[in-house]
Amino acid sequence: MFPYPSGTLHLGHLRVYTISDVLARFKQMQGYDVIHPIGWDAFGLPAENAAIERGINPQTWTMQNIAKMKTQMMAMGGRWDWDREIFTCDPSFYKHTQRIFLMLHERGLAYQAESIVNFDPVDKTVLANEQVDASGRSWRSGAKVEKIKLKQWFLKITEFQQPLLDDLEILAKGNAWPERVLSMQKNWLGKSEGTRVRFLIESSSGSKQWPDVEVYTTRADTLFGVQYLALSLNHPVVIDMAKGNPYLRSFLATAHKLPPDSKAGFVLPGIQARNPISSILDCDTLVQSLVPVYAAPYVLDDYGSGAVMGVPGHDNRDNAFWRENNKHQPCLTVIKRASNKSTGGSDLYASDMQTPMLEKGFLADGLGKFSGLSSDQAVTEIISQLQAAGLYAKRTENWRLKDWLISRQRYWGTPIPIVHCPSCGPVPVPESELPVELPQLADSFFKGKIGNPLQDLQFWKSTRCPKCDGPAERETDTMDTFMDSSWYFMRFLDPDNHGDPIAAESSDAGLPVDVYVGGVEHAILHLLYARFISKFLATTPLWPSGGGPGNEGEPFKQLITQGMVHGRTYSDPSTGRFLLPEEVDLSEPQSPKIKSSNRVAMVSYEKMSKSKYNGVDPGATIAKYGADATRAHILFQAPVSEVLAWDDASIAGIQRWFRRLWRLSNAHFIPKAIIFQPPKILDSSLAEILTQRYVWGLFDLPGNNTATRSFEKAPPVPTLFSIIKSTESDLWVLTQETIARVTESYDRTYALNTVVSDLMSLTNAIWDMKHSSPLGSVLQWVSLCAVLRMLAPIAPAFAEECWERLHLITSTQALTSTKSNISDGRGGVASIFSCPFPTADLQAMEMLSQTQKCAVMVDGKLKFSTEIPIPPSDLDDKEKLKKWAVRQLRATDIGETWLGEGGKLGWPRVEDCKGEAGAGGEGWAVHVVRGGRTINFVTPKVVEVDQDGEWMGVVIPKKTGVARKKSKGKTTQKGEKNEKVIKSDEMKQTDEGKETNDGQKVAQERETEPAPKLLL
Ligand SMILES: [Zn+2]
């Protein structure tokens, strides 16, 4: 979302534009033609308020701010398409905003009407419903909004309410839009199914007739429980009665200022409302035929028809209102939870309950023919019986959404292109006369100005009627700035088009926007208006395709809502007073002290504001740490959609990481003694790298060294892979995994914090790898090239520097080659952004992380089988191989149940395993055979010798794991179930593939490999 030019960039801007810049750069490196545009939401009240305060033209003030912010944005290292920059306050832009208004007008979707509107007494303008918060305050000035009646311009957004609701489904697919935004929009649209009925107003004196009052309810089944009728403060009945009632007048004067959840009420004297239900009831009940009528601020003018039927027994707000205004009156309950009939009489009961029953259920006993009906049945029945009785009752739907009020009584906005003619009425300005430009005014004109300056400018207002050419006046209202932002994103695709807002071929090619980043605070305002205007334009020649089937004119495919940035805030725990940074001693960052009292200050993270002294100037941060470290820090500290608790101190971690990368790019990991030959092509697969190195004669394979070396005659890939050492293989696999994960994060999950941590881990792996062979250095180099390119979107300048440094040292041959993508063709290093984003070498990853089935035996008997990696080729040392094998087995789940502490083999904890290669207790031995496909553990032997020194056999104590000394005589524990005397023929049977105790076949893989040799 483009910025409002308020004067300085704040950390929220830095965060949102870092995210979009990173994604744009990533896509560009992937080869996409990316537009990352920037412009200015340049109309608006703050500029006009500054003009009035300081005596400066809003235009001058705005352009100054833009210049300042642009400098700051340049400093943060973003790559924006400045050649597409737009200013919504520029006549070349607002000409098209006016054109879109006229297109709406022509279709009857822009109209002028008198209605009760929200008036902001501070900003002296009306506001749309979306711009008034839940407590009735202006979204911008915070002032308590007043309700007044005015003739205003509206856009008929309600014409699109059904598609605006239905197409939330499109946006929900694949989590393209955050669930929270979707549900906020759904609630705002507020579709409900209900019933309209009318209450008759009866005057006790009979002297005056009142029209029936129409009421909309979603719960017509509770009509029996109506105990009062409440009217909005502007309801015609209230207005009319107020004329003759000074008490009511004074109530209204104060009630207009009360919050919308106020429980205040004024009972209208001399009138009562007749509940229509009373005319169709066939029994005597507690149901009240006549109920009092109130004027109450909680009733909205625009909900239904400004009247509410009060059901204290079944509605929260009605309940609260009733108890406030009728402290001693009970509440009627007409719905019960269960359908069973009670044994007689009425269970309609009245109570002073404080918690109404809100759920649907069954109509209570004592309601005659309606008793026992379910809520839904009752609604149907009530409607048909009311209609049969000749009364008004209608099923209907109700929407919370109202038409969008776009008139503003201000100067600094797009003029509404309408001329008011005394004989023709409001007439649209012809397209050829657009733009209707704002008058150029001197700075002094604005000083201390109150109200709308355009109204006083006769020279600007006076014009001719486009229809009859008679004298006429221009419309002096300007448009809500949300009108500008409802379509600006389209203009980026065609910024120099003078004739149209956008050409059809541009919109069809470029819309919808692929990724849109902005704050969740725009969930209803901007994002709803933009969806409306976009859907409208998709019905015009400006965007004929509407994004194709399945898009339905939706403007933004993917929406990312970034979280807020909170600042570190210090306060005095005894008073709660916020402390200035200079009042706090930060020498011990863990316990900051208040200098004056030496007490420990409270630390919290809160929304940045001047009053909390917790603001951070992004310019200062960038100057201190550099743009790239700041960007990486912003991304690393929190997932994009969550609150970022800003803490300067932890940038140190990013700086350490950058220092490592800077040293690595000096190629210090390549020993001077070796001849370093990087792969010819940057993104070669491991198979290609090995083949190339084999052909170059950089390594030998056993028994193959006399063969002529050529690409055609190179040995098969698995043979080449056999020279890779385990550390080399680990690094290659980690690199490929990182590429795959980082790509996924950039592309799909937007988990940009994990991109940073993944790149840090890979950097450390490159750093920590000890030199093992010339191939090892090459693989480190390739991994480093991948890290730098994956880092480039986040830290563009730093990655570029490292890239150049690395290749100037290591790619001297490539730089002179015109074919290499590392060379800029003039002997220098090409920009990192001209190199493609790395792609994972999945083939090598698969081969290197291949596993094989491993049969695990104890003393030659199969105990279990599992998958473990193929042993790396450099584990030629038997001891290393054994240790490796035991470690791999322990890492599997089934291995843990056998070999783990207290597992089936009764081994102690790992540190206490004193057997061979860390297997079991003292005396255990390990044999790894058949290329790691069989591992045999041999239990310690206790040699039984009789008194004459004769051999008696071998006893295997299964559980203890410790060789036992014979206590006395020749008795052993032979009789115990767990013991076994091993004989060589038994082992043989196992080897032949006999079913073992574990019911598994062994030796199915023994065709080629020799049988395990068990040595006793
Ligand atoms: Zn006229």
Side-chain angles (χ1 to χ4, degrees):
M1 294 174 194
F2 67 164
Y4 175 76
S6 53
T8 46
L9 219 58
H10 54 71
L11 273 178
H13 287 128
L14 201 58
R15 189 176 193 192
V16 64
Y17 297 123
T18 296
I19 295 167
S20 68
D21 187 49
V22 164
L23 299 179
R25 286 177 183 275
F26 162 73
K27 279 288 173 191
Q28 179 256 318
M29 286 179 82
Q30 274 198 326
Y32 289 89
D33 187 5
V34 178
I35 299 177
H36 185 222
I38 188 78
W40 305 93
D41 192 7
F43 271 138
L45 286 175
E48 190 159 341
N49 291 343
I52 293 164
E53 226 172 88
R54 295 163 215 191
I56 180 173
N57 189 305
Q59 160 108 15
T60 317
W61 192 81
T62 302
M63 295 317 281
Q64 279 171 359
N65 287 347
I66 290 175
K68 267 191 274 178
M69 287 175 76
K70 206 166 162 177
T71 314
Q72 287 180 303
M73 288 181 82
M74 301 273 196
M76 67 169 278
R79 167 204 173 277
W80 282 283
D81 293 277
W82 289 107
D83 54 344
R84 294 175 189 266
E85 183 181 14
I86 52 173
F87 309 81
T88 55
C89 65
D90 190 314
S92 72
F93 179 90
Y94 68 66
K95 166 185 174 178
H96 303 291
T97 310
Q98 291 175 338
R99 167 89 185 279
I100 292 170
F101 175 90
L102 292 179
M103 291 168 83
L104 287 157
H105 188 259
E106 200 184 321
R107 290 259 295 268
L109 298 171
Y111 65 93
Q112 204 179 18
E114 191 162 78
S115 82
I116 304 291
V117 295
N118 307 300
F119 185 76
D120 179 334
V122 171
D123 281 335
K124 299 260 184 294
T125 184
V126 300
L127 297 171
N129 289 335
E130 289 79 5
Q131 294 160 1
V132 181
D133 69 14
S135 56
R137 292 182 180 277
S138 159
W139 76 292
R140 205 189 264 285
S141 72
K144 204 88 204 157
V145 165
E146 294 167 5
K147 299 273 183 185
I148 57 169
K149 203 163 198 175
L150 272 179
K151 203 169 188 188
Q152 299 288 307
W153 283 97
F154 293 87
L155 297 187
K156 213 168 180 181
I157 187 171
T158 53
E159 188 82 7
F160 286 77
Q161 58 198 10
Q162 196 64 53
L164 283 171
L165 179 66
D166 294 345
D167 298 343
L168 292 174
E169 296 280 321
I170 295 172
L171 306 176
K173 267 183 215 150
N175 296 320
W177 277 41
E179 172 55 39
R180 190 174 158 206
V181 175
L182 297 176
S183 68
M184 283 168 84
Q185 289 217 352
K186 190 173 175 202
N187 286 337
W188 188 261
L189 293 163
K191 183 182 182 180
S192 64
E193 310 265 343
T195 311
R196 288 183 191 280
V197 292
R198 286 180 189 157
F199 281 66
L200 194 73
I201 301 295
E202 295 185 3
S203 163
S204 51
S205 63
S207 59
K208 185 156 171 115
Q209 294 290 308
W210 306 91
D212 293 353
V213 170
E214 190 169 303
V215 160
Y216 168 82
T217 175
T218 56
R219 289 292 302 276
D221 57 319
T222 64
L223 261 169
F224 303 95
V226 172
Q227 291 179 272
Y228 68 94
L229 191 69
L231 306 178
S232 79
L233 304 181
N234 294 299
H235 194 280
V237 173
V238 177
I239 301 279
D240 199 28
M241 282 194 90
K243 287 176 190 156
N245 188 328
Y247 300 106
L248 177 55
R249 281 205 299 277
S250 98
F251 171 78
L252 293 179
T254 49
H256 272 296
K257 293 178 186 134
L258 292 170
D261 59 350
S262 159
K263 298 183 202 80
F266 185 97
V267 67
L268 300 177
I271 60 168
Q272 283 189 305
R274 179 168 291 277
N275 187 341
I277 205 79
S278 60
S279 56
I280 54 169
L281 260 179
D282 56 351
C283 62
D284 280 340
T285 69
L286 291 173
V287 171
Q288 295 168 8
S289 306
L290 286 169
V291 294
V293 183
Y294 286 85
Y298 88 87
V299 183
L300 303 175
D301 296 316
D302 46 13
Y303 184 82
S305 49
V308 162
M309 62 182 220
V311 188
H314 299 287
D315 181 274
N316 272 329
R317 264 189 334 187
D318 296 352
N319 185 278
F321 179 84
W322 185 249
R323 285 190 292 108
E324 174 76 18
N325 291 280
N326 292 276
K327 289 200 172 58
H328 307 296
Q329 294 278 338
C331 302
L332 273 176
T333 305
V334 295
I335 306 292
K336 57 180 182 173
R337 286 187 173 84
S339 63
N340 62 313
K341 274 219 162 210
S342 63
T343 44
S346 165
D347 68 354
L348 250 188
Y349 63 87
S351 73
D352 58 353
M353 61 168 177
Q354 305 202 350
T355 45
M357 183 202 159
L358 303 177
E359 303 81 20
K360 284 184 178 177
F362 298 88
L363 267 68
D365 294 348
L367 295 175
K369 57 196 169 190
F370 297 99
S371 292
L373 293 179
S374 73
S375 288
D376 291 339
Q377 288 170 333
V379 172
T380 311
E381 202 53 33
I382 289 167
I383 292 173
S384 78
Q385 295 208 20
L386 284 176
Q387 286 171 346
L391 294 168
Y392 177 85
K394 199 177 171 204
R395 240 181 232 283
T396 177
E397 66 186 33
N398 197 52
W399 293 76
R400 185 178 171 204
L401 181 76
K402 299 297 158 204
D403 282 342
W404 174 16
L405 195 171
I406 60 151
S407 291
R408 294 293 177 272
Q409 291 73 52
R410 305 300 303 226
Y411 167 82
W412 196 232
T414 303
I416 293 176
I418 294 285
V419 166
H420 295 279
C421 168
S423 36
C424 311
V427 180
V429 173
E431 225 180 278
S432 58
E433 289 175 26
L434 296 184
V436 175
E437 281 196 52
L438 287 170
Q440 292 293 327
L441 299 168
D443 289 348
S444 56
F445 179 86
F446 292 94
K447 182 89 183 166
K449 194 93 202 162
I450 295 171
N452 181 3
L454 295 178
Q455 258 174 349
D456 309 335
L457 299 170
Q458 210 50 53
F459 76 89
W460 183 81
K461 260 167 60 174
S462 299
T463 184
R464 314 290 306 176
C465 169
K467 241 189 200 165
C468 68
D469 202 36
E473 285 201 338
R474 289 194 186 284
E475 171 65 58
T476 56
D477 283 356
T478 56
M479 292 184 218
D480 181 4
T481 55
F482 282 104
M483 183 63 194
D484 311 320
S485 56
S486 69
W487 78 279
Y488 79 102
F489 47 92
M490 300 188 176
R491 185 69 182 167
F492 287 127
L493 292 167
D494 200 4
D496 302 320
N497 189 335
H498 298 297
D500 287 312
I502 183 171
E505 50 274 25
S506 302
S507 55
D508 279 350
L511 291 174
V513 174
D514 289 291
V515 181
Y516 199 46
V517 191
V520 78
E521 66 273 19
H522 298 290
I524 291 170
L525 292 157
H526 164 57
L527 289 170
L528 193 63
Y529 298 146
R531 291 183 63 216
F532 158 49
I533 294 297
S534 171
K535 280 179 182 298
F536 164 70
L537 291 177
T539 67
T540 72
L542 292 186
W543 188 19
S545 78
N551 187 64
E552 304 291 340
E554 285 294 333
F556 313 117
K557 233 191 247 176
Q558 179 90 41
L559 173 70
I560 300 175
T561 48
Q562 91 282 2
M564 296 205 339
V565 184
H566 284 184
R568 199 171 157 91
T569 313
Y570 301 103
S571 55
D572 186 331
S574 55
T575 60
R577 184 178 71 87
F578 293 109
L579 301 166
L580 286 159
E582 50 269 31
E583 289 180 273
V584 186
D585 173 8
L586 291 171
S587 52
E588 285 174 69
Q590 295 311 315
S591 61
K593 296 215 172 59
I594 304 169
K595 284 177 185 165
S596 58
S597 64
N598 211 32
R599 291 187 57 180
V600 177
M602 280 260 293
V603 179
S604 56
Y605 286 89
E606 296 182 31
K607 190 178 171 179
M608 291 188 182
S609 82
K610 281 181 186 144
S611 61
K612 292 176 186 166
Y613 314 116
N614 61 352
V616 172
D617 171 14
T621 311
I622 288 173
K624 192 168 170 189
Y625 303 101
D628 286 359
T630 307
R631 289 162 60 113
H633 178 66
I634 284 179
L635 297 178
F636 183 47
Q637 286 305 98
V640 291
S641 58
E642 286 174 22
V643 167
L644 166 61
W646 182 261
D647 185 3
D648 259 21
S650 49
I651 296 192
I654 299 285
Q655 290 178 311
R656 267 197 303 279
W657 172 39
F658 279 12
R659 273 197 293 274
R660 270 199 169 179
L661 278 170
W662 183 240
R663 286 199 55 199
L664 281 173
S665 59
N666 198 22
H668 81 282
F669 57 89
I670 304 170
K672 295 265 182 304
I674 69 162
I675 298 166
F676 178 75
Q677 275 177 293
K680 260 193 165 165
I681 296 161
L682 192 58
D683 280 316
S684 301
S685 67
L686 185 54
E688 287 161 348
I689 293 173
L690 287 167
T691 311
Q692 195 172 65
R693 295 180 69 77
Y694 173 79
V695 173
W696 284 347
L698 294 175
F699 65 86
D700 293 334
L701 285 168
N704 199 26
N705 298 315
T706 50
T708 321
R709 299 201 179 194
S710 69
F711 284 98
E712 294 74 32
K713 289 181 183 165
V717 174
T719 312
L720 291 168
F721 270 45
S722 69
I723 71 146
I724 303 170
K725 297 187 175 8
S726 59
T727 49
E728 295 164 356
S729 151
D730 289 350
L731 179 66
W732 189 265
V733 170
L734 179 66
T735 305
Q736 308 317 310
E737 281 172 355
T738 306
I739 293 172
R741 218 171 27 237
V742 164
T743 306
E744 166 91 358
S745 299
Y746 274 137
D747 211 19
R748 264 186 17 80
T749 62
Y750 309 110
L752 303 182
N753 55 324
T754 70
V755 169
V756 176
S757 56
D758 282 344
L759 294 181
M760 284 176 165
S761 303
L762 184 53
T763 306
N764 292 341
I766 301 170
W767 180 270
D768 292 339
M769 187 172 136
K770 297 208 169 48
H771 178 73
S772 48
S773 73
L775 175 66
S777 295
V778 168
L779 299 185
Q780 277 174 294
W781 182 90
V782 172
S783 296
L784 181 59
C785 287
V787 170
L788 292 178
R789 281 181 292 159
M790 288 189 276
L791 173 67
I794 294 172
F798 176 67
E800 187 83 277
E801 286 288 327
C802 291
W803 185 254
E804 185 179 38
R805 178 164 145 119
L806 177 69
H807 290 298
L808 283 178
I809 297 168
T810 59
S811 306
T812 41
Q813 278 189 343
L815 294 184
T816 55
S817 153
T818 47
K819 283 181 196 157
S820 162
N821 53 5
I822 291 171
S823 163
D824 66 358
R826 301 184 301 275
V829 180
S831 165
I832 193 167
F833 292 100
S834 68
C835 296
F837 199 81
T839 48
D841 178 6
L842 298 174
Q843 185 207 7
M845 203 153 93
E846 203 174 296
M847 288 182 75
L848 291 173
S849 46
Q850 254 175 14
T851 58
Q852 61 183 3
K853 202 168 183 188
C854 172
V856 180
M857 300 179 173
V858 173
D859 296 326
K861 287 267 183 193
L862 180 75
K863 294 302 177 190
F864 65 93
S865 304
T866 185
E867 293 277 333
I868 62 166
I870 296 170
S873 63
D874 58 333
L875 290 180
D876 40 6
D877 177 330
K878 269 191 180 164
E879 289 315 303
K880 273 192 199 162
L881 179 63
K882 286 176 182 179
K883 277 191 181 157
W884 176 89
V886 173
R887 209 170 52 236
Q888 295 301 330
L889 284 181
R890 278 198 168 115
T892 66
D893 286 344
I894 188 165
E896 177 64 22
T897 63
W898 283 86
L899 315 186
E901 182 186 354
K904 291 186 181 175
L905 297 183
W907 289 6
R909 55 190 190 138
V910 177
E911 308 86 283
D912 297 334
C913 282
K914 304 289 187 213
E916 187 185 11
E922 211 170 315
W924 280 76
V926 188
H927 299 276
V928 180
V929 283
R930 300 167 67 233
R933 278 183 280 167
T934 303
I935 297 172
N936 185 43
F937 292 105
V938 182
T939 51
K941 299 171 287 289
V942 177
V943 178
E944 303 289 332
V945 184
D946 72 2
Q947 281 163 342
D948 306 323
E950 297 241 351
W951 284 80
M952 296 294 291
V954 180
V955 177
I956 315 297
K958 191 176 178 184
K959 283 289 181 193
T960 64
V962 177
R964 269 189 236 164
K965 287 227 169 80
K966 192 188 130 191
S967 53
K968 233 184 212 176
K970 59 181 175 185
T971 46
T972 66
Q973 295 178 16
K974 230 186 247 177
E976 279 184 36
K977 221 182 166 186
N978 287 338
E979 296 180 0
K980 195 138 198 136
V981 176
I982 297 287
K983 292 178 194 156
S984 55
D985 56 348
E986 247 184 82
M987 274 171 42
K988 213 172 162 191
Q989 279 183 350
T990 310
D991 279 341
E992 292 302 325
K994 219 177 152 185
E995 290 274 330
T996 65
N997 291 341
D998 295 285
Q1000 294 182 33
K1001 285 222 184 233
V1002 214
Q1004 279 165 348
E1005 304 167 40
R1006 53 195 299 277
E1007 326 76 23
T1008 51
E1009 297 281 341
K1013 287 186 183 63
L1014 303 182
L1015 304 170
L1016 286 175

